[in-house]
Amino acid sequence: EDDADALASRKHAQTLENEEREPITSRYDYPPLWAGGIPPDSSTISMASLHYGGVREHDLHSLYGHMEGVASRHALESIRGERALVITRSSYAGTGHHIGHWLGDNNSRWKDMKDSISGMLAMNMFGIPLVGADICGFGEDTWEELCMRWMQLGAFYPFARNHNNIGQRSQEPYALGERVLRESKHALMLRYRLLPHYYSLFYHVALHGGTVARPLFLEFPWDAQSRAVDTQFLVGSSVMVAAVLEGDAVRVYLPPGEWFWFESGAPVGVGGAEGAGDDENAGSGESGERMSGGD
């Protein structure tokens, strides 16, 4: 066994020695395929860099942010003696067991708001339940209608944060006029009412795995139409969010079962069909949040 270890060590040393004689930078930093067309060493250290134990950055890059987040959480909890909340952009398989994630730098555009739903749902299915996007957009200047609608949607992200870049227009609700402030407050008050529901979902996920925000097809796998819906989501199994994603109307697909407006309790209808909301409903409290009464 000792001879085998010694042989492996010599082979490893020989490999490193050979690599030092070769143009390793081009091999690791400029491989044949680039993810997204961006060089792997863009805005970071060279992929040829060596970590402790002789492991290349090329083989650890995606794990680095994960391990940094885990170490940050452990350090905070050791120093403060209480649970820590750590949010990372760089993540890996297993990150959701330790810390949360935000979806990175987006822009103040309708498309980015829409795409945040599929991003949030994907991360939940990847095992990272505490996730959300920068509400109202990180880059570019937001505007009143977009930010109001995004606040109505983002209030129901598992991780809800309005955040933007230095030099962009202020996008606190109070900075964008009375209507944005009123509707943002309304959406956030709904979130506060649902916090026990969110907390119970997170507790269940921590013990058993699963999702907090989930696509319709996870709850209704037998319903073929639910599989194509990427503009709505469920918070747990009972609350469905269907936000206005452009303009002043929302089309909603109702999965099988009876559905009711969350706030008023008034029946919406029996699932299995699409319905249309108008600006009066979408902007004055009935902003797409619904509750299932079961099948």
Side-chain angles (χ1 to χ4, degrees), residues 15-67:
T15 299
L16 294 180
E17 182 180 346
N18 291 339
E19 287 181 343
E20 288 172 0
R21 297 172 181 170
E22 300 174 7
I24 60 173
T25 299
S26 61
R27 176 146 45 96
Y28 286 102
D29 287 336
Y30 301 97
L33 296 176
W34 298 354
I38 302 172
D41 66 342
S42 177
S43 301
T44 187
I45 63 175
S46 169
M47 296 295 107
S49 302
L50 288 175
H51 288 266
Y52 179 80
V55 184
R56 294 283 179 199
E57 168 69 10
H58 176 271
D59 300 315
L60 280 182
H61 181 74
S62 295
L63 277 167
Y64 190 90
H66 166 81
M67 294 187 293

Side-chain angles (χ1 to χ4, degrees), residues 11 22 36-37 39 42 53 67 78-79 84 98 116-117 123 132-133 172 184 199 220 223 236 269 286:
K11 285 184 176 179
E22 300 174 7
S42 177
M67 294 187 293
S78 175
I79 294 169
H98 304 276
S116 73
I117 298 175
M123 285 296 166
E172 295 89 348
S184 298
Y199 198 94
F220 304 93
D223 180 31
E286 300 288 20

Side-chain angles (χ1 to χ4, degrees), residues 125-146:
M125 291 189 289
F126 296 158
I128 306 179
L130 183 60
V131 60
D134 287 343
I135 298 172
C136 297
F138 178 78
E140 304 178 2
D141 285 339
T142 193
W143 67 96
E144 288 75 3
E145 185 70 18
L146 173 68

Side-chain angles (χ1 to χ4, degrees), residues 243-261:
V244 178
L245 298 175
E246 189 164 6
D248 56 7
V250 55
R251 296 203 64 83
V252 180
Y253 174 69
L254 300 178
E258 285 190 89
W259 293 86
F260 305 86
W261 286 111

Side-chain angles (χ1 to χ4, degrees), residues 72-86:
S72 298
R73 178 194 169 188
H74 287 167
L76 285 169
E77 292 182 348
S78 175
I79 294 169
R80 302 178 64 197
E82 57 186 34
R83 285 187 298 176
L85 175 63
V86 179

